[in-house]
Amino acid sequence: MDSLVRSPGAIEQMHPDSYEEESLFDFDLRTVLDILRRNIRLIIAVIVAAVAAGLVITMLIVPKYVATSKVLVEDEAPQIVEGGDLSPTVNSMDADRFLKTQVDMIKSRALAQRVVGMAKLSDDPKFYETMGAEMPDVSMVDSYRDKEKALAQLRADTAADLLADNLEVILPDDSRVISINFTATDPVYASKVANAFAASFMESNLNRKYDSSSYARQFLSQQLEEARARLETSERELNQYSRAAGLIRVSGQDSSSTPETTLSTTNSSLVQLNAGVNQATADRITAEDKWKTIANQKTLSVPQILSNPAIQAMLQQRSEIESKLADERERHRDAYPTIQALTAQLVDVNARIEALGGSIKRSVYLDYQASLEREQTLQGQVQQLKSAALDEQDRGVQYNILRRIAETNRALYDSLLERYNSLSAAAGAAANNVALVDTATVPKKPSSPVLLLNLAIAFVLGVVLAAVAVFIREHFDDTIKEPADVERKLGLPLLGLIPLVDPGEVRDEAADPTSSMAESHHSLVATLRYSTAHGLPEVLMVTSAGPSEGKSTTSHAIAVDLARLGKSVILVDADLRRPTLHSRIAGGRPHGLTDLLTCQAEIDDVIHPSGIDNLSYITALPIPPEPSLLLGSARLDAVIAQLRARSDVVVIDSPPVLGLSDATTLATHAEGVLMMVNASAFRRGAVKSSLRRLQMVHANILGVALSKFDFRRSSSDYAYYGYDYYNYGSERGA
């Protein structure tokens, strides 16, 4: 007990290192365990209440279902049209940023509005019911004109907000598969919206690729229109000049012809006619050679004549006639009629041969003459066409200039048209780099609430709330649970611990001097013997902040112990309002402190024997009408002086400090004040207020005696050293 109850000087002389070592390695953990032990019921109650609340809330929560669709996002897509790439492909070094951008696009409000339109959710009452929202009606529209349009816009915005609030997009690490999760109270709507998001994202990705070339196509379209206008103007000017100049141009028939070799009709005719002249000249030379070859030759030496079938037939006939004529001349004379007849036939055949041969030679000559005339005619026409062609060349200079302008405009127009067609084809021909991996199926089990998870969360919250409740309770709890609380909360040394005894336990210390109550008072008296510089104070006042804190019992116990130590002690009951000491005196003498202060009796008349050696009593009888006036009179000084002269120690049982001026008046006459504090009903504010009142009158407050302290509810050390040790004597006696 001496380790728990120290004098002020002893407390101040504690070594800091030992105190710090104790607090670091021993005090903190034990304090926490003590707090838990003291508040175990509160902790269990709060945790059970939190778990029960979590169970009830879980049962009341509407189940929600999560449907998941998955899409694969590649960095770049292959181009169907070669050379049609209009935007740079994503760099592999920037893949993470690209994928995060795709996630943000899925979360965008534009895509949510697209899903609303695709799934027709804005006018679906069941959708709003599923999402736990109210479907907007006309009463929510402030517009005075087009209410239907305003209502449609409001519903679309509300549906888009609901989609965005219940959408979750997850991009796993090191993966290109994006999970699109949608939560709803209806599993069918959950899967429907999740699939709508995936489809809308794929479609919007394609549209975005097509729209990415819109500026280029718009620019090319404008350039095409301008090029077409220039081409039309240049060709019209070319045709007008060609008509005015009388120029008719045709393309060359050669497959290798270019615009530079394009011919006019005059040039074309000249070329053809020149070819005819060349052919006529060749024919004339051939015919002339034939004629000159046969002109001076005999008829039958000309090959053309000999090869003639008629000549050959007549030669055959002449040979036969000559053969017959030779036979007849062998037998007859020339005058023979047969010979004459054959001779006439022979002459006739020769004449016909000569005539036919001459005709053949004549025909060769006529061919030569015809070729010559044809050659001369064609040469004349060529000369005429050459003159006309030269005139056309002079007029074709401006024509060629206009033609080249038209050809340049046409080439530009064709190039722009080809690029425009390529862009248009490439914009819609690129393969989509977003592919649907998994479609959202209708979930069979709700994703929330999860009973075990909610109970675990409720348990954790219960632990947190219990910790907060314990902290608040400990912070605002003014009860004294440990002796150290006295010094920490009041700033005064603890002089003694008076244990809380059971109702049936003997309280008379004279009957049982080894009881826990008696032992605690012995320890208190031992401490008081060293509370001042000269030892035990001559005038000791025992008071408390309020009533029923054990000051009367402690005052009597201190007086009894001091008397047993051989000190002459007078116990004065100064509580003139609720006196108690007179009940201890047999016979009930009526004279007391009131008579002494009013000079109605002498000091010897009010001092009563107690039955204990060296101990006398002065009661507070009779109860005066105005106790404060009596205690505040100058008579009190004389009474205290007389009591000090008649005894070694004067113990004053004072009334409570709060609400009364009696205690502060008595404190000015006491050498030391002992403050009694009820540990079971401690109120720090009340005690501190009482201490401030005593300090205002410069009372010498020796320290605090803690009454009704339950060792069994304290820490294990205090329980053993206080409660068990105090009972050690009684058990030994037993």
Side-chain angles (χ1 to χ4, degrees):
M1 191 65 184
D2 293 338
S3 63
L4 299 177
V5 182
R6 298 185 177 94
S7 64
I11 294 177
E12 293 176 356
Q13 293 175 0
M14 291 178 61
H15 197 279
D17 295 340
S18 62
Y19 179 78
E20 181 179 0
E21 181 178 358
E22 180 182 359
S23 63
L24 288 176
F25 298 99
D26 184 58
F27 179 77
D28 290 344
L29 180 59
R30 293 183 180 180
T31 301
V32 172
L33 294 177
D34 291 338
I35 291 174
L36 294 178
R37 180 176 55 82
R38 289 195 301 268
N39 298 276
I40 188 64
R41 293 183 178 178
L42 175 63
I43 294 173
I44 294 176
V46 172
I47 293 177
V48 170
V51 173
L55 178 61
V56 173
I57 292 174
T58 301
M59 296 302 177
L60 295 178
I61 292 177
V62 178
K64 292 185 177 181
Y65 298 84
V66 176
T68 303
S69 60
K70 296 182 178 180
V71 293
L72 173 64
V73 179
E74 297 289 352
D75 282 345
E76 63 179 58
Q79 299 293 331
I80 297 177
V81 178
E82 184 178 0
D85 190 11
L86 304 178
S87 59
T89 57
V90 177
N91 190 350
S92 59
M93 300 295 292
D94 203 20
D96 292 339
R97 184 181 301 177
F98 171 74
L99 292 175
K100 291 180 180 178
T101 302
Q102 301 304 309
V103 171
D104 292 338
M105 293 177 66
I106 296 176
K107 295 180 179 179
S108 65
R109 184 175 180 82
L111 188 62
Q113 292 175 342
R114 188 185 187 95
V115 172
V116 170
M118 174 183 292
K120 300 180 180 179
L121 301 176
S122 59
D123 296 326
D124 189 354
K126 189 175 181 181
F127 168 74
Y128 293 95
E129 180 182 356
T130 300
M131 305 309 298
E134 182 180 357
M135 183 176 180
D137 53 16
V138 181
S139 62
M140 300 181 182
V141 179
D142 297 333
S143 176
Y144 292 98
R145 294 186 177 180
D146 195 351
K147 288 192 174 183
E148 293 184 358
K149 184 176 181 181
L151 178 60
Q153 184 63 38
L154 178 60
R155 288 180 176 177
D157 293 340
T158 304
D161 292 337
L162 293 174
L163 292 182
D165 293 340
N166 292 275
L167 177 68
E168 181 184 14
V169 183
I170 300 176
L171 175 62
D173 296 336
D174 301 328
S175 176
R176 297 183 182 275
V177 178
I178 299 177
S179 298
I180 303 175
N181 300 335
F182 189 78
T183 304
T185 57
D186 189 340
V188 176
Y189 270 87
S191 61
K192 176 182 178 181
V193 174
N195 290 328
F197 264 102
S200 297
F201 176 59
M202 295 176 62
E203 183 179 353
S204 64
N205 186 68
L206 280 176
N207 292 338
R208 188 170 59 257
K209 288 179 175 294
Y210 182 79
D211 294 339
S212 63
S213 63
S214 60
Y215 175 78
R217 288 186 286 111
Q218 182 179 1
F219 175 77
L220 286 178
S221 177
Q222 182 180 358
Q223 295 295 317
L224 268 175
E225 184 63 24
E226 295 177 358
R228 186 194 62 78
R230 289 195 299 269
L231 176 61
E232 182 179 358
T233 301
S234 60
E235 288 187 346
R236 185 177 291 109
E237 291 177 353
L238 179 62
N239 291 334
Q240 290 176 354
Y241 179 80
S242 177
R243 180 179 300 173
L247 299 177
I248 300 177
R249 299 280 174 159
V250 295
S251 299
Q253 299 299 320
D254 189 0
S255 60
S256 62
S257 298
T258 63
E260 296 295 334
T261 61
T262 300
L263 304 176
S264 67
T265 55
T266 302
N267 290 335
S268 178
S269 299
L270 180 60
V271 171
Q272 296 177 0
L273 190 59
N274 191 42
V277 170
N278 294 334
Q279 183 63 38
T281 301
D283 293 342
R284 189 264 307 168
I285 293 173
T286 301
E288 184 178 3
D289 290 341
K290 288 182 179 181
W291 170 245
K292 289 181 178 180
T293 301
I294 65 174
N296 296 322
Q297 292 183 4
K298 295 181 179 180
T299 301
L300 293 179
S301 60
V302 177
Q304 291 85 347
I305 296 175
L306 293 177
S307 60
N308 189 282
I311 295 297
Q312 291 178 357
M314 285 188 290
L315 289 175
Q316 180 67 29
Q317 184 180 4
R318 189 180 69 174
S319 297
E320 293 176 355
I321 293 173
E322 287 179 348
S323 176
K324 291 180 180 181
L325 183 58
D327 291 338
E328 290 293 331
R329 282 180 175 176
E330 288 179 356
R331 290 193 303 263
H332 300 287
R333 294 182 180 271
D334 294 335
Y336 190 75
T338 304
I339 294 175
Q340 291 181 352
L342 290 171
T343 302
Q345 291 180 356
L346 182 61
V347 172
D348 182 59
V349 170
N350 288 332
R352 285 190 291 153
I353 291 174
E354 287 295 334
L356 184 57
S359 298
I360 292 174
K361 288 180 68 176
R362 179 69 178 177
S363 63
V364 173
Y365 177 74
L366 292 176
D367 288 340
Y368 162 68
Q369 290 295 327
S371 298
L372 180 60
E373 291 178 359
R374 183 168 175 271
E375 178 186 11
Q376 292 175 352
T377 302
L378 290 176
Q379 286 178 349
Q381 293 179 355
V382 167
Q383 291 299 325
Q384 293 177 358
L385 289 177
K386 282 182 178 181
S387 298
L390 292 175
D391 293 339
E392 276 191 3
Q393 287 181 357
D394 294 338
R395 298 191 305 272
V397 174
Q398 182 63 27
Y399 175 85
N400 291 332
I401 294 174
L402 297 176
R403 178 176 59 82
R404 287 188 178 89
I405 294 175
E407 290 174 351
T408 302
N409 291 335
R410 178 172 294 278
L412 177 61
Y413 178 80
D414 291 341
S415 177
L416 291 175
L417 182 60
E418 181 181 2
R419 182 59 177 167
Y420 179 81
N421 293 334
S422 177
L423 288 178
S424 299
N432 196 353
N433 64 325
V434 178
L436 182 62
V437 177
D438 288 331
T439 58
T441 58
V442 178
K444 298 180 180 178
K445 296 181 179 180
S447 60
S448 66
V450 181
L451 180 60
L452 294 179
L453 177 61
N454 289 353
L455 292 180
I457 294 175
F459 177 79
V460 173
L461 291 178
V463 172
V464 174
L465 292 176
V468 173
V470 169
F471 173 78
I472 295 175
R473 181 180 183 183
E474 289 291 324
H475 183 74
F476 292 100
D477 187 8
D478 284 336
T479 59
I480 299 296
K481 300 178 178 63
E482 304 293 345
D485 291 344
V486 174
E487 298 178 5
R488 180 172 57 85
K489 294 182 178 181
L490 300 179
L492 290 175
L494 178 63
L495 301 182
L497 289 175
I498 312 302
L500 177 67
V501 297
D502 296 332
E505 185 177 348
V506 178
R507 295 179 178 270
D508 190 353
E509 299 178 12
D512 187 7
T514 61
S515 66
S516 60
M517 182 73 73
E519 291 292 346
S520 64
H521 287 138
H522 298 337
S523 177
L524 175 59
V525 171
T527 306
L528 289 174
R529 293 175 63 185
Y530 302 98
S531 60
T532 65
H534 59 273
L536 188 68
E538 294 182 3
V539 180
L540 175 65
M541 187 183 83
V542 181
T543 187
S544 63
S548 302
E549 297 199 43
K551 56 182 177 55
S552 298
T553 302
T554 303
S555 301
H556 184 266
I558 292 174
V560 171
D561 280 357
L562 291 176
R564 287 177 176 175
L565 292 175
K567 299 289 185 178
S568 175
V569 182
I570 297 178
L571 176 60
V572 180
D573 187 357
D575 191 351
L576 302 181
R577 302 174 189 273
R578 296 178 60 184
T580 58
L581 185 58
H582 63 278
S583 61
R584 294 179 179 271
I585 301 174
R589 294 185 180 184
H591 299 292
L593 182 61
T594 302
D595 291 333
L596 190 61
L597 292 176
T598 58
C599 299
Q600 298 295 322
E602 297 296 332
I603 191 168
D604 293 332
D605 298 331
V606 298
I607 295 177
H608 308 291
S610 63
I612 300 175
D613 295 338
N614 301 324
L615 176 61
S616 300
Y617 297 148
I618 296 179
T619 67
L621 297 177
I623 300 175
E626 295 183 0
S628 299
L629 293 178
L630 289 178
L631 295 176
S633 65
R635 176 64 178 163
L636 182 61
D637 291 335
V639 171
I640 297 297
Q642 292 177 5
L643 294 176
R644 294 181 66 174
R646 290 176 174 272
S647 63
D648 296 328
V649 178
V650 178
V651 178
I652 301 176
D653 182 8
S654 169
V657 177
L658 291 181
L660 303 173
S661 62
D662 302 354
T664 56
T665 302
L666 292 170
T668 60
H669 298 83
E671 186 179 358
V673 177
L674 176 64
M675 175 65 71
M676 297 300 300
V677 175
N678 185 354
S680 62
F682 172 70
R683 293 296 179 265
R684 178 166 47 181
V687 176
K688 281 193 172 184
S689 178
S690 301
L691 294 175
R692 282 195 297 269
R693 293 189 64 183
L694 293 174
Q695 290 170 355
M696 289 176 64
V697 297
H698 303 287
N700 181 22
I701 304 174
L702 301 178
V704 175
L706 198 61
S707 64
K708 301 180 182 181
F709 181 74
D710 190 356
F711 285 100
R712 290 167 294 186
R713 299 184 61 182
S714 181
S715 63
S716 58
D717 289 344
Y718 288 116
Y720 168 75
Y721 192 69
Y723 180 76
D724 295 341
Y725 183 74
Y726 282 144
N727 286 287
Y728 178 72
S730 61
E731 292 174 0
R732 180 181 58 186

